[in-house]
Amino acid sequence: MARAPFELAGITVKPGTRAQIDVPVAKLYTHAPLDIPVEVVHGRQPGPTLLVCSAIHGDEINGVEIVRRLLRSRQINRLRGTLIAVPIVNIFGFVQHSRYLPDRRDLNRCFPGSESGSLGGRIAALFREQIVDHATHIIDLHTGAIHRTNLPQIRAQLGDAGEETRRMADAFGAPVILNAELREGSLRHYAQTRGTPVLTYEAGEALRFDEWAITAGVRGVLRVMRRLDMLTGEQRRRKPPAAEVANGSSWARAPIDGILRPKVRLGARVAKGQVLGKVADPFGETEGEILSMADGIVIGMSRLPLANEGEALFHIARFDAIEEAESAIETFHSSLEPPPDSLY
């Protein structure tokens, strides 16, 4: 029995074909239209419908390149099920190099949205109705915020999310899985409340292409697709590195205003009370130490050497088995070809 066509935003995609679809989202002051670009790959054989999206925060562009490489991969030519690829969700922010929408709202706090609400609410409602609600599984691609970088990590709520979310998280192959609570208004919160398994991949820095983060992201998405039986006839080159689940995390903050000199690198194992960095005034007369509040791994850190008192500078994840977490990160780094030039 022939598989039914896939329909999105009024466009029909036949089995065994792919199509680029522009979903109208808004207009500029000049009346020029803005569209959310979407590519649908509709396989001949039945299977899951996976949404892979990025740039919900418009300045987080590593995911844009991950989606591009995913769509150029020859592996998806024999796809089972359907892939919905959205490289740029927040088209306003992307054009303006900004995390936010023009009204300064965070699109990832606007779901499920409203057709009669704010600009963010309207875009969230359109994206939800036209795209998200078609998906059976979701991978949402992010980076650190401006002037911050993240170690490749998966964020998911594992306790109440069911086996499918954990299965996807394990398959992705990131060195760290952060068992993260849902945030009201986020895409992850909306999807999970309707029973859709969803992963958030965090890696690298905003407004930068970090090759190590991009490479790991492409491989991770393909691994998840294989785990979901969306890709067939592909031999696994190697088993994905085992990930360790963090049981919590917290930020170490600047004790004073000044200039930051970090003493640890992204991915480093640290001990409680260890000096992570120092903040000093330009003359060096006043200096404060930033201390780790727990044994853990540095999974995020500031890239800007200027800090205000109380500013979050080092993100420390805590593990029950920290040796295994350290080993997972080392294995992950060695699996990258070529390895990252720098982790900071």
Side-chain angles (χ1 to χ4, degrees), residues 51-70 84-89 108 127 138-144 150 153-155 172 187 198-203 213-214 216-222 224:
L51 168 62
V52 180
C53 61
S54 70
I56 283 183
H57 294 137
D59 60 352
E60 298 183 1
I61 65 175
N62 274 334
V64 180
E65 179 64 6
I66 291 172
V67 172
R68 187 192 71 83
R69 294 188 193 183
L70 175 66
I84 306 173
V86 185
I88 307 163
V89 179
N108 206 32
F127 184 60
I138 298 174
I139 300 176
D140 185 20
L141 306 172
H142 287 259
T143 75
N150 280 337
Q153 59 197 260
I154 289 294
R155 297 186 182 180
F172 197 98
L187 173 62
V198 55
L199 301 181
T200 297
Y201 173 63
E202 292 266 0
I214 294 167
V218 175
R219 292 179 182 178
V221 173
L222 290 172
V224 171

Side-chain angles (χ1 to χ4, degrees), residues 79-98:
L79 181 74
R80 290 178 179 265
T82 304
L83 172 65
I84 306 173
V86 185
I88 307 163
V89 179
N90 181 358
I91 195 73
F92 281 103
F94 184 78
V95 170
Q96 295 296 324
H97 306 172
S98 171

Side-chain angles (χ1 to χ4, degrees), residues 3-297:
R3 191 182 185 204
F6 185 84
E7 294 188 5
L8 189 144
I11 303 298
T12 299
V13 185
K14 296 180 180 180
T17 66
R18 57 201 295 171
Q20 292 183 359
I21 302 170
D22 292 327
V23 179
V25 63
K27 291 183 179 179
L28 296 175
Y29 305 124
T30 61
H31 206 65
L34 282 181
D35 303 321
I36 295 178
V38 181
E39 183 159 338
V40 174
V41 184
H42 191 43
R44 295 183 183 277
Q45 301 298 321
T49 298
L50 174 65
L51 168 62
V52 180
C53 61
S54 70
I56 283 183
H57 294 137
D59 60 352
E60 298 183 1
I61 65 175
N62 274 334
V64 180
E65 179 64 6
I66 291 172
V67 172
R68 187 192 71 83
R69 294 188 193 183
L70 175 66
L71 289 171
R72 302 282 72 81
S73 172
R74 289 177 294 179
Q75 298 184 43
I76 68 172
N77 292 335
R78 294 183 293 273
L79 181 74
R80 290 178 179 265
T82 304
L83 172 65
I84 306 173
V86 185
I88 307 163
V89 179
N90 181 358
I91 195 73
F92 281 103
F94 184 78
V95 170
Q96 295 296 324
H97 306 172
S98 171
R99 176 185 180 91
Y100 302 106
L101 293 163
D103 60 1
R104 298 298 297 170
R105 280 184 167 84
D106 184 335
L107 181 56
N108 206 32
R109 299 294 180 268
C110 293
F111 288 92
S114 169
E115 295 179 357
S116 59
S118 66
L119 175 63
R122 291 169 188 254
I123 294 175
L126 180 143
F127 184 60
R128 168 179 57 82
E129 294 171 359
Q130 297 288 337
I131 298 171
V132 174
D133 287 350
H134 287 283
T136 62
H137 301 73
I138 298 174
I139 300 176
D140 185 20
L141 306 172
H142 287 259
T143 75
I146 190 74
H147 302 313
R148 289 181 182 171
T149 186
N150 280 337
L151 183 77
Q153 59 197 260
I154 289 294
R155 297 186 182 180
Q157 189 181 47
L158 302 179
D160 301 322
E163 295 182 1
E164 190 74 345
T165 298
R166 180 58 189 263
R167 195 163 72 102
M168 292 171 63
D170 288 339
F172 197 98
V176 171
I177 300 172
L178 189 59
N179 189 9
E181 293 297 319
L182 298 175
R183 291 194 175 184
E184 188 79 25
S186 67
L187 173 62
R188 187 162 66 93
H189 180 271
Y190 168 73
Q192 192 160 311
T193 55
R194 70 187 299 265
T196 303
V198 55
L199 301 181
T200 297
Y201 173 63
E202 292 266 0
E205 183 182 357
L207 293 177
R208 298 289 183 271
F209 271 179
D210 299 296
E211 182 58 36
W212 48 274
I214 294 167
T215 299
V218 175
R219 292 179 182 178
V221 173
L222 290 172
R223 287 188 186 113
V224 171
M225 294 176 73
R226 282 194 287 270
R227 183 65 62 88
L228 297 176
D229 294 325
M230 296 182 71
L231 300 178
T232 60
E234 295 290 338
Q235 294 182 353
R236 298 182 182 180
R237 297 178 183 175
R238 64 184 70 179
K239 185 177 179 180
E244 290 296 320
V245 178
N247 55 32
S249 69
S250 53
W251 282 90
R253 300 179 180 274
I256 61 173
D257 304 301
I259 299 171
L260 168 67
R261 303 191 315 279
K263 300 296 183 183
V264 295
R265 304 171 70 212
L266 193 65
R269 176 180 175 179
V270 297
K272 183 177 181 179
Q274 179 177 339
V275 177
L276 305 176
K278 296 182 179 181
V279 178
D281 68 76
F283 300 102
E285 295 179 355
T286 304
E287 185 173 79
E289 294 181 335
I290 308 155
L291 304 179
S292 177
M293 71 299 295
D295 297 340
I297 300 290

